[in-house]
Amino acid sequence: MIQSINKASNTKQQVRLVLVIILVFTAIEVVNFLSGRVLNHLGNIPRYVPGLRGIILGPFLHGSLQHYFSNIIPLCIFSFLLLQYGLKRFMQITLWIVVITGLLVWLFGRPATHIGASGVIYGYFGYLVLAGFLSGKFKLMIISILVAFFYGGLILGVFPSTPFVSWESHLFGFIVGLAGAKLWAKPSP
């Protein structure tokens, strides 16, 4: 009984954290929308030193409401699923994905302003698809299977398709997520 109470409490905390993520991204989107997208100049601009701030700020910015809504739903779903690995792992993987993906885009991306949470989403996707299998834990393997089944089509986003889509963020995010799984998803003893 105590274990089920702890699980319910843990689930409430996870849902609360996802709600905080929604609130933060929505607040920034409202300010950006009302200001005519003036914040978007804070995105990741490859090989431009002031553009380095976009490594951290870029994922919070979106080019349109459609861009925001297409990112917020998978971001929240993947955040909740990643929280099944624990809060510490969630924070570790999020920081890893944001910083390393951002640096790779800054170093190798085409000259444009790269904004949006899709690099983080693709990082979470890569991590979630591989980490469950590497962990050896049944619950986490089921999450990997479900993410691969329902979101497997995301893999097509790592290829150049549309001029205004940062496929570089998608590609590097996915690779960094896979690397994070390889580094930190430990098999069961």
Side-chain angles (χ1 to χ4, degrees):
M1 173 146 168
I2 292 176
Q3 188 177 16
S4 65
I5 291 171
N6 286 340
K7 284 184 182 179
S9 174
N10 198 27
T11 301
K12 282 183 183 179
Q13 290 172 340
Q14 293 167 347
V15 169
R16 256 189 238 127
L17 181 56
V18 171
L19 289 174
V20 168
I21 291 168
I22 291 171
L23 288 173
V24 168
F25 273 82
T26 301
I28 293 169
E29 175 59 22
V30 167
V31 169
N32 203 18
F33 175 77
L34 293 176
S35 69
R37 304 278 170 206
V38 74
L39 298 178
N40 287 354
H41 79 281
L42 299 173
N44 188 342
I45 305 168
R47 294 164 304 284
Y48 175 62
V49 174
L52 282 167
R53 63 187 170 213
I55 290 171
I56 302 299
L57 300 176
F60 293 96
L61 306 170
H62 293 88
S64 67
L65 286 174
Q66 180 184 357
H67 186 206
Y68 163 78
F69 284 115
S70 68
N71 278 340
I72 196 69
I73 294 168
L75 179 67
C76 290
I77 291 169
F78 288 171
S79 293
F80 180 76
L81 294 174
L82 186 56
L83 282 164
Q84 305 314 301
Y85 289 82
L87 180 60
K88 181 180 176 185
R89 179 63 45 85
F90 172 81
M91 299 302 285
Q92 178 184 39
I93 291 300
T94 300
L95 186 62
W96 165 259
I97 290 169
V98 168
V99 172
I100 303 302
T101 299
L103 279 171
L104 289 170
V105 169
W106 190 83
L107 288 169
F108 303 110
R110 69 200 134 119
T113 302
H114 297 260
I115 56 172
S118 58
V120 176
I121 292 165
Y122 273 80
Y124 286 175
F125 172 67
Y127 183 86
L128 289 168
V129 166
L130 183 58
F133 295 109
L134 295 178
S135 75
K137 295 179 180 173
F138 182 74
K139 173 185 171 183
L140 301 178
M141 286 192 272
I142 294 299
I143 289 173
S144 289
I145 291 167
L146 291 174
V147 167
F149 181 77
F150 286 107
Y151 287 95
L154 282 178
I155 200 69
L156 298 175
V158 303
F159 302 108
S161 61
T162 308
F164 298 107
V165 173
S166 179
W167 63 270
E168 299 96 329
S169 293
H170 299 177
L171 175 64
F172 292 133
F174 181 67
I175 292 168
V176 169
L178 292 173
K182 189 72 175 146
L183 289 170
W184 292 298
K186 297 188 178 11
S188 298

